[in-house]
Amino acid sequence: MGEAIDWQQAESSAGSAEELEQIRALAAISEVATFHRTWLAEGGIKGDLDEDEEPEDEAPTHWGELEIIERVGRGSFGDVYKAREPRLDRIVALKLIRASAKTPEREAETLREGRLLAKVRHPNVATVHGAAGADGRVGFWMEFLEGKNLAEILAEKGRFEPREAAEIGIALCRALAAVHAQGIVHRDVKAQNVVRENDGRIVLTDFGVGRDATVHQTEEPSLSGTPLYLAPELFEGKPPSPASDLYALGVLLFYLVTGEFPITGSSFDELKAAHQGRKRRWLKELRKDLPGSFVAAVERALDRDPEKRGDEAGMERELGRFIGERLERKRRIRQMLAASVLLSLLAGGIFAYLERDQIEAQVHLYRADRYHEKGAREDTIRELKKAKFLAPDVPGIYWRLMSYQSADGDYDAAFQTADDSAKLCEKSHARDCYLVKGWSALLRLDYKAALENFKTVKSIRPDEETQSQIVQLQINLLQTSVAIQEARALVGAKGIGEASVLVSTLSAAGRHLDALEELEVLRKRFGDDPQIHWTAGTVLTAAGRYAPGENEFKLVAEQPEEVGDLSIGQLSLAQSLILQGKCDRAQGALAVSPRLNSQEDFARNDAIRALLLAKCSVLMGDREEASRILQSIERLRHIPAYLKIFRNAALEALEARDVVLSERFAGIVSNLNVKSHSDLSQSFDFQLRGELAWKEGNSTAVSLLEKATDLRGDPQNLLSLARVLIENGQCLRASKYLAELTRSRGLIVADFYTPWAIWSEAVALRKRCPE
């Protein structure tokens, strides 16, 4: 410990290329630490970057209301603790000034750091919860980050690949944009101050030298931050700025992919001279394999002229374009390889290995994938059917058929395909077979089994469609926190559907501000598109911003790319209006919503239209009309895909006081439960049995509804249970379900099948049953 290391000798003794890269990374980190200590000493600042020279005092057990669990770090002036905030029952990181370092200036700076962080609310910026003085010490507490900083990761695994570095860069561009929007300059962007959490989230932290940008006009400029990351203009006495933060980000990305720095020096004077003499290294000198678009983005951020660096949004676009280029290149390579394989098969005389039918099946399968990319669903299904006829033992044909047939609304055919593939994949561990099992489970609404199979698919070979499917399943299983972690990987996806998954997931989880921020990024990428408008409408509605939400749904209907957009736009608009109690306007929107009975894939839209009209009739007191409208839903085919529609129709029939009709719908749900026997179908069966039991005065109602909620605590189940408990005089028990329900507006709006009005009903029930 404390001995100098001969890094050149260490490099010469490396046993492999990987070990050599790790040694170089450690040497770079050592260079940063050594130089930073020298710089602090020259500046007249005492203390060590890593450990305080004073013996460790015993960690306190409490600070203010916080319960201290353990010390997790020590710096020059303060300690960082893992603590618990009892009032909210959450784990936090607590930063306190030590008594030996406490001065009025340090106390003021610590409180200032807390106030700076408190101004920023962004998923890629560490969230501060509070700052105060208590028990003779000043400090602030923030979210506790489970993960490692980028310097630690680089030391462990070696330099980063460009795509990984670009993804980190995009996250930090967004973080800096949020920071700068509050008038704050971070001033110490570096690898040690960026944490990658265990779930993959990138977090910018440690604003210890950050300050308000507005004070720079009146204060004397000073050099703060880690020297190797400092922009050249700072050495000339100019004040820190958003441009100097962007330069530091460029240095960080340079460091991640090379393990080295663009400007180096062993002292302050050497570093300043290197900047003045323009003695710097270039990315392509250190790594010739780096793609040009990635290099261009980083080198622009490192320009000597702050005006030529652009801004965070520009750098984010460049890095996003690089990632998009890489994905597109991979897709084209896959296409070229597939085409060359087919040509080889057809022209290379390999009939000794493959039968003619198998070769033709591969041709049809290739054509089906190309048609799918163009959105030509009917052509896709036609080619897949031909492939299945020629090669009935190829699993990849079956999962594709199931997904496209169900998307086309042809559920009978999809179930037949699932049955045909059952034995084929009984004992296989091939990726295509897990996809077959996943889609089969999805058709039966067995979300848990589907999720496990899609996760296995991802572990074998991940792709954006599988990732998106995993997120949707997690939302269906009400696992919104986990879904957010998965959805972050899709931020840079090429397709609108996959790229918008994070926005919808954040909204479903109730993180409306974060969702709105991500939504603006989506708008910049995809512009005026019906899916963007629909996503925006749901996010705004979930955030309680009804008027702008309505406008977005109108745009979906007014600018449709296909007839379905018009239907979805009008139905969503009606949902929003009913949520606000504006049934007259909702009926007007539903009156012009197109009837799509001729198209099987939109049969559910007609059923939802009937449910919404029935809801309006009930709210306006015309129960007979509601009952008449609901009867049309009975004609919908009795398949698991429509299970939620039948459940909602049964509940609406009860609201219309048509018990007989409700029992008929409940019977359909019960029969479907026998067929699929998933948690979802069992939950709905228990719920309807409990609701009907309550109408009949049966004492088993509460226990049946509790079983439904235990199986699946979705908003509709919570509402049923809370309402029956209140009617039974059990307000105390009902209040916890109502509290959970009134926090679930995002989850309600995220579900196209769920009546959004149940949120208003929950609010009304809560008034009857105050805590």
Side-chain angles (χ1 to χ4, degrees), residues 9-234:
Q9 182 179 351
E11 288 183 19
S12 64
S13 64
S16 65
E18 182 179 358
E19 188 177 339
L20 177 61
E21 291 300 325
Q22 291 177 343
I23 291 171
R24 286 175 175 171
L26 289 169
I29 293 166
S30 174
E31 180 183 2
V32 174
T34 302
F35 186 63
H36 203 164
R37 289 188 184 94
T38 304
W39 168 236
L40 289 173
E42 289 179 354
I45 302 173
K46 298 178 180 179
D48 194 277
L49 287 175
D50 302 312
E51 296 291 337
D52 194 270
E53 295 180 357
E54 295 182 6
E56 287 197 17
D57 52 344
E58 188 175 344
T61 58
H62 288 79
W63 181 79
E65 295 182 355
L66 300 182
E67 300 171 358
I68 294 177
I69 299 171
E70 61 178 329
R71 185 180 356 236
V72 294
R74 287 172 65 83
S76 302
F77 299 102
D79 302 301
V80 181
Y81 299 96
K82 183 177 182 180
R84 177 176 170 272
E85 192 173 3
R87 188 164 49 87
L88 297 176
D89 191 24
R90 64 182 173 192
I91 300 298
V92 298
L94 170 64
K95 183 175 181 178
L96 294 179
I97 297 178
R98 282 197 305 281
S100 59
K102 188 175 68 172
T103 65
E105 291 79 13
R106 287 302 304 168
E107 290 183 348
E109 185 164 337
T110 300
L111 290 173
R112 180 179 61 82
E113 181 181 352
R115 287 195 295 270
L116 285 174
L117 277 168
K119 290 183 179 181
V120 183
R121 285 290 183 269
H122 191 274
N124 298 117
V125 179
T127 302
V128 70
H129 300 308
D135 303 327
R137 299 180 72 176
V138 169
F140 65 87
W141 60 105
M142 58 192 293
E143 63 175 315
F144 189 82
L145 302 175
E146 296 279 2
K148 297 178 180 179
N149 68 48
L150 297 185
E152 292 170 326
I153 296 171
L154 189 142
E156 289 177 4
K157 75 164 197 172
R159 63 191 187 184
F160 288 61
E161 287 308 307
R163 177 172 178 177
E164 186 180 9
E167 289 170 346
I168 292 168
I170 288 172
L172 292 177
C173 282
R174 293 171 182 171
L176 286 176
V179 168
H180 296 159
Q182 294 295 332
I184 302 167
V185 179
H186 187 283
R187 303 177 73 190
D188 201 16
V189 177
K190 61 181 179 179
Q192 292 88 341
N193 286 345
V194 179
V195 174
R196 181 158 69 188
E197 286 199 285
N198 296 335
D199 65 5
R201 180 169 72 118
I202 298 297
V203 188
L204 178 63
T205 185
D206 204 339
F207 282 57
V209 295
R211 67 169 55 181
D212 291 326
T214 54
V215 305
H216 295 155
Q217 304 304 318
T218 56
E219 286 188 1
E220 182 182 347
S222 64
L223 276 172
S224 295
T226 305
L228 292 171
Y229 290 83
L230 294 179
E233 65 269 18
L234 300 182

Side-chain angles (χ1 to χ4, degrees), residues 424-445:
L424 183 66
C425 284
E426 225 168 19
K427 298 179 181 179
S428 174
H429 296 289
R431 184 178 188 269
D432 277 345
C433 274
Y434 283 110
L435 281 165
V436 166
K437 294 171 187 175
W439 279 102
S440 297
L442 200 55
L443 284 170
R444 299 191 308 273
L445 303 185

Side-chain angles (χ1 to χ4, degrees), residues 682-691 704-705 707-708 711:
Q682 290 181 72
S683 168
F684 289 176
D685 191 21
F686 279 128
Q687 181 190 13
L688 295 179
R689 285 163 57 190
E691 287 274 12
L704 287 167
L705 291 170
K707 287 180 181 178
L711 279 167

Side-chain angles (χ1 to χ4, degrees), residues 297-564:
V298 176
E299 295 290 6
R300 182 172 287 106
L302 292 173
D303 198 291
R304 283 185 54 82
D305 186 349
E307 296 295 326
K308 294 181 180 179
R309 291 174 201 155
D311 57 15
E312 308 85 4
M315 189 175 187
E316 180 185 342
R317 282 193 299 273
E318 286 191 84
L319 293 172
R321 193 177 301 120
F322 156 67
I323 292 174
E325 287 172 1
R326 301 287 286 179
L327 292 173
E328 177 64 14
R329 192 173 297 118
K330 287 183 179 179
R331 186 182 71 82
R332 288 178 180 172
I333 289 170
R334 286 198 300 270
Q335 289 181 357
M336 291 168 62
L337 286 173
S340 65
V341 167
L342 290 174
L343 289 172
S344 298
L345 291 176
L346 294 170
I350 46 70
F351 290 96
Y353 300 97
L354 292 174
E355 296 292 336
R356 181 182 179 84
D357 285 352
Q358 291 176 305
I359 297 171
E360 290 186 12
Q362 292 297 325
V363 173
H364 288 300
L365 187 57
Y366 173 75
R367 288 175 180 168
D369 284 343
R370 302 293 77 75
Y371 279 128
H372 170 60
E373 288 176 0
K374 296 176 182 177
R377 193 182 297 164
E378 292 181 4
D379 293 329
T380 302
I381 293 173
R382 184 186 67 247
E383 293 295 331
L384 286 171
K385 285 181 177 178
K386 290 177 181 179
K388 180 186 173 189
F389 176 78
L390 292 165
D393 58 346
V394 177
I397 297 171
Y398 289 86
W399 70 259
R400 287 174 171 85
L401 259 178
M402 274 186 276
S403 67
Y404 303 150
Q405 286 168 335
S406 58
D408 201 42
D410 193 354
Y411 291 100
D412 289 338
F415 276 109
Q416 185 60 55
T417 302
D419 292 340
D420 293 344
S421 65
K423 290 185 179 179
L424 183 66
C425 284
E426 225 168 19
K427 298 179 181 179
S428 174
H429 296 289
R431 184 178 188 269
D432 277 345
C433 274
Y434 283 110
L435 281 165
V436 166
K437 294 171 187 175
W439 279 102
S440 297
L442 200 55
L443 284 170
R444 299 191 308 273
L445 303 185
D446 188 349
Y447 295 145
K448 288 183 178 178
L451 180 60
E452 289 309 309
N453 281 291
F454 281 114
K455 281 184 174 179
T456 304
V457 171
K458 178 189 170 186
S459 69
I460 296 171
R461 188 176 71 252
D463 61 73
E464 290 176 354
E465 289 186 12
T466 300
Q467 188 82 16
S468 177
Q469 195 65 254
I470 288 171
V471 174
Q472 297 300 336
L473 284 165
Q474 288 169 333
I475 293 174
N476 276 322
L477 289 166
L478 312 177
Q479 300 172 4
T480 52
S481 297
V482 181
I484 290 173
Q485 299 169 16
E486 292 282 354
R488 291 190 189 284
L490 290 166
V491 170
K494 182 181 178 184
I496 295 178
E498 289 79 15
S500 62
V501 165
L502 177 60
V503 177
S504 299
T505 307
L506 287 167
S507 178
R511 292 174 56 173
H512 305 307
L513 292 177
D514 294 339
L516 289 169
E517 286 183 2
E518 292 291 339
L519 176 63
E520 291 310 306
V521 178
L522 267 189
R523 288 190 196 272
K524 291 175 184 176
R525 283 189 62 194
F526 296 104
D528 197 26
D529 184 276
Q531 183 159 345
I532 296 297
H533 289 309
W534 185 82
T535 302
T538 57
V539 172
L540 289 164
T541 302
R545 297 172 60 180
Y546 299 130
E550 288 177 26
N551 290 333
E552 297 290 345
F553 295 136
K554 287 176 184 175
L555 288 171
V556 177
E558 290 170 0
Q559 304 172 17
E561 289 188 356
E562 55 184 37
V563 66

